[in-house]
């Protein structure tokens, strides 16, 4: 194949950005339009309501899975708004002898859950910037990327492609 061939991932990104759709929802009310100040205010309020805990790394317990998962996250900001939400997720029941709660199982559990919550389908594709395969969903400007990080942890990334690719 020639160098001009686009990868499946690059084609997905292009199709998403060319669709004209803007999808800013991340989760828990956070969006790609959320400013740093709004993020801290929203997080403080959810902390008061015990929806989340923490400060530097925020923890949220996702209970809509076969077993509760701990999601640790903190957004990346650019020009004062969220452009990426990287999340580390693990089953809280995980232990080396407890195969049922491995990253592989969590990955499939989260994938299925997100397909329902975000009304999307994930494709397993090679992602150049992480140099590995990942489950990827692209709806307009929003990419959701899921991949295994370690034996017990998966990485979830919500990425605003319009912000990432606007300078390229």
């Amino acid at each position: 194949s020639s160098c001009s061939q686009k990868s499946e991932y690059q084609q997905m990104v292009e199709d998403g950005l060319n669709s004209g759709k803007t999808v800013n929802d991340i989760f828990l009310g956070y969006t790609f339009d959320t400013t740093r100040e709004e993020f801290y205010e929203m997080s403080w309020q959810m902390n008061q309501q015990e929806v989340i805990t923490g400060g530097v790394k925020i923890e949220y317990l996702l209970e809509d899975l076969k077993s509760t998962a701990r999601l640790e996250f903190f957004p990346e900001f650019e020009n004062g708004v969220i452009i990426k939400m990287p999340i580390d997720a693990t089953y809280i029941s995980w232990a080396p002898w407890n195969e049922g709660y491995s990253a592989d199982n969590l990955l499939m559990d989260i994938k299925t859950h997100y397909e329902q919550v975000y009304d999307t389908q994930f494709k397993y594709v090679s992602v150049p910037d992480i140099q590995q395969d990942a489950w990827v969903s692209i709806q307009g400007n929003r990419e959701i990327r899921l991949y295994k990080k370690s034996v017990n942890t998966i990485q979830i990334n919500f990425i605003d492609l319009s912000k990432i690719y606007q300078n390229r």
Side-chain angles (χ1 to χ4, degrees), residues 12-23 138-142:
M12 287 171 71
V13 169
E14 236 173 71
D15 292 347
L17 290 174
N18 291 337
S19 72
K21 264 176 53 182
T22 301
V23 182
I138 296 178
Q139 294 172 293
N141 60 303
R142 182 184 67 197

Side-chain angles (χ1 to χ4, degrees), residues 23-34 38-39 42-43 46 51-53 57-64 69-76 82 84-89 110 113-114 117-118 142-146 155-159:
V23 182
N24 285 327
D25 292 345
I26 303 174
F27 66 102
L28 295 176
Y30 300 120
T31 68
F32 291 127
D33 292 338
T34 302
E38 289 167 338
F39 173 78
M42 291 168 67
S43 299
M46 283 189 275
V51 174
I52 60 171
T53 56
K57 269 265 190 219
I58 297 172
E59 279 188 18
Y60 171 67
L61 297 180
L62 180 59
E63 296 172 340
D64 300 336
R70 177 182 296 112
L71 276 52
E72 292 183 337
F73 63 92
F74 197 85
E76 292 176 20
I82 296 174
K84 184 175 178 184
M85 183 74 82
I87 305 163
D88 285 344
I110 293 259
H113 175 67
Y114 279 0
V117 170
Y118 296 102
R142 182 184 67 197
E143 174 181 330
I144 306 173
R145 182 187 294 175
L146 314 170
Q155 180 72 44
I156 304 167
N157 288 326
F158 286 83
I159 302 166

Side-chain angles (χ1 to χ4, degrees), residues 85-161:
M85 183 74 82
I87 305 163
D88 285 344
T90 51
Y91 278 128
I92 57 176
S93 305
W94 182 83
W97 57 86
N98 205 339
E99 261 309 296
Y101 300 107
S102 69
D104 293 319
N105 289 329
L106 178 57
L107 194 57
M108 292 297 99
D109 204 0
I110 293 259
K111 176 184 163 291
T112 302
H113 175 67
Y114 279 0
E115 284 178 341
Q116 294 164 355
V117 170
Y118 296 102
D119 189 27
T120 189
Q121 292 295 309
F122 284 84
K123 262 183 143 164
Y124 196 64
V125 295
S126 177
V127 181
D129 62 297
I130 57 170
Q131 297 179 333
Q132 75 178 75
D133 292 347
W135 288 100
V136 175
S137 157
I138 296 178
Q139 294 172 293
N141 60 303
R142 182 184 67 197
E143 174 181 330
I144 306 173
R145 182 187 294 175
L146 314 170
Y147 60 95
K148 185 174 168 178
K149 193 171 173 179
S150 70
V151 67
N152 68 325
T153 305
I154 69 164
Q155 180 72 44
I156 304 167
N157 288 326
F158 286 83
I159 302 166
D160 184 348
L161 296 171

